[in-house]
Amino acid sequence: MPSFNLNQVKVGLKILMGNDPCVIVDADFVKPGKGQAFTKIKFKNYRTGRVNEITMKASDTVEGANVVDTEMQYLYNDGSDWTFMDLETYDQITASKELLGDTIQWLVEEDLCLVTLLDGYPIVVTPPNFVIMEIVETDPGVRGDTSGGGNKPATLTSGAVVRVPLFVQTGEKVKVDTRTGAYVSRA
Amino acid sequence: MAFEDWRPAASLERIKIRAKVLAQVRGFFAERGVLEVETPLLSGATVTDLHLHTLATEAEIPGLGGPTRLHLQTSPEFAMKRLLAAGSGPIYQLCKAFRDQEAGRLHNPEFTILEWYRPGWDHHRLMDEIENLLTVILGAAPARRRSYGELFSTELGVDPHRDSAETLRRRALKQGLEDVAGLDREGWLSLMMTHHLEPTLGRDAPTFLFDYPADQAALARIRHDDPPVAERFEVYVNGIELANGYHELTDAGEQRRRFEQDLEIRRSRGLPEAPIDHRLIDALDHGMPACAGVALGVDRLVMLAAGASDLKDVIAFPIERA
């Protein structure tokens, strides 16, 4: 991969820090009228989500990372590997249960997810912001209460548990915000 | 919809503030009998300064005998000093200057510079005049003056004139600055300045920093105190470096030595050669009056006058739209 000096780094550039793929989220060029130039970059680690910063001087470079974000459809899983397909090329990739972690609970078959690949291998799978899933189990709640005011836990097909209003019942489909895990509406 | 980058980046209101600032500057110097001059933006020679990157072009000029490499000036300093040596008296210039490899919130590779020279004055007297100018244009409060040594000693507990790179590094890390491998003395002082000190300077009133370490003299004369100091100053307003000035070096031999020393370091670091301005050396040889001079970033001045925080907000067409 090419490397980049302090004049070439910019927001959105994907780089390797240590062995971790990262994306630059902020780049600030500073230079005294007489004196050395520095660029302070902040970068987000794809694996950990953590943001760190370094200061680059004129002779420093950072290594580029072959990271691409691709929209892929989630197809199926066999309990240990989850399979995704690029709808344009029909290329398929698999992501392990370990890699996906808590993301698994938001994966609905045929939904389009954003798969981040490093050298062709998935490092992050981002589910759609909103998913629709069926409730497989929740307490009956209070019949006739349609006004909100109070909520209860509900288990979805994926096993995810979200708080839903009392009037929502088992067998109904609900829309959930995957970024917060919050119930949005009946679907 | 496509991003409409044909439009100016600065609002019309700020373009008018720029016009007003330029008129105020010209009025200020007309009142004081300082002559406005123009010197070439293109020159065969250029600066040797290690941290300045010159833009150059290959030109085909009739009468110059074939293809000629011409450099866009990084400041009008050398040509203006030739005018001083020719007996111009006090002069000022408002013009464009160009620096490659500089872009950001406070940098545009093409920028407007105000530079002026006062024969017979030292750097402190020139600071008085700059203070007046800032009062006229920014309505600034009376300025504060601090020596470079006092600032670093008070704020960071270091002696910027004597401490080694390693001592500076240890102190910087203690202050929470992160480590940057391979910085020399000047590099650490620059880092402390830009990352730690600069943002705090000139908050309530302009701050002048004066008497720099001798190894950052640039084109200032060196006063042989203990330790020796460069009679150089900078002006900070609202955490922004606005101007850099000198009690000017007038010694032709010393000037040539500094140029040659820069070129030697350029060669050792693999930086491009910079042709020495022999006409400047000849002018100094002929005799330039003792004087103080300063270069001020006009775009930054307009930014401060307009209450903006990014140069792009006061330049009609910054480099991305040029």
Side-chain angles (χ1 to χ4, degrees), chain A residues 4-148:
Chain A
F4 300 91
N5 68 27
L6 85 168
N7 295 314
Q8 296 163 329
V9 291
K10 58 179 184 179
V11 172
L13 185 72
K14 276 101 173 179
I15 56 172
L16 277 181
M17 297 302 289
N19 284 318
D20 281 350
C22 301
V23 58
I24 296 179
V25 293
D26 190 46
D28 189 22
F29 175 87
V30 291
K31 182 183 185 300
K34 303 280 171 193
Q36 296 198 23
F38 297 101
T39 297
K40 199 196 270 190
I41 57 170
K42 290 185 182 160
F43 50 93
K44 184 176 172 183
N45 186 312
Y46 275 107
R47 295 192 211 278
T48 63
R50 273 196 214 107
V51 174
N52 284 307
E53 62 177 51
I54 57 161
T55 296
M56 297 175 66
K57 65 177 189 302
S59 55
D60 292 343
T61 56
V62 289
E63 197 188 341
N66 178 22
V67 171
V68 269
D69 291 324
T70 317
E71 205 169 48
M72 298 183 103
Q73 188 179 52
Y74 165 50
L75 298 180
Y76 61 89
N77 74 80
D78 64 7
S80 61
D81 286 317
W82 271 246
T83 301
F84 299 82
M85 183 171 71
D86 185 321
L87 291 179
E88 280 174 26
T89 62
Y90 302 109
D91 285 344
Q92 293 189 12
I93 60 109
T94 58
S96 69
K97 190 174 184 173
E98 291 71 39
L99 177 84
L100 292 168
D102 289 343
T103 302
I104 285 174
Q105 62 182 335
W106 305 124
L107 295 179
V108 177
E109 283 175 16
E110 295 185 12
D111 270 3
L112 287 174
C113 301
L114 194 68
V115 179
T116 304
L117 303 166
L118 171 64
D119 296 326
Y121 293 95
I123 47 172
V124 178
V125 174
T126 311
N129 290 344
F130 300 100
V131 295
I132 291 168
M133 274 194 255
E134 189 180 322
I135 296 176
V136 294
E137 193 190 340
T138 188
D139 286 339
V142 184
R143 190 169 292 277
D145 180 359
T146 59
S147 63

Side-chain angles (χ1 to χ4, degrees), chain B residues 58-111:
Chain B
E58 300 298 328
E60 295 268 2
I61 313 284
L64 284 192
T68 310
R69 189 169 176 80
L70 292 177
H71 303 83
L72 283 165
Q73 68 173 6
T74 59
S75 87
E77 179 157 8
F78 295 174
M80 289 181 80
K81 285 182 171 173
R82 286 161 60 191
L83 287 175
L84 290 164
S88 66
I91 49 175
Y92 81 97
Q93 179 160 205
L94 267 169
C95 61
K96 286 293 184 77
F98 304 82
R99 295 180 186 180
D100 198 9
Q101 302 186 24
E102 297 190 9
R105 186 173 74 84
L106 296 174
H107 295 85
N108 193 58
E110 171 180 345
F111 60 101

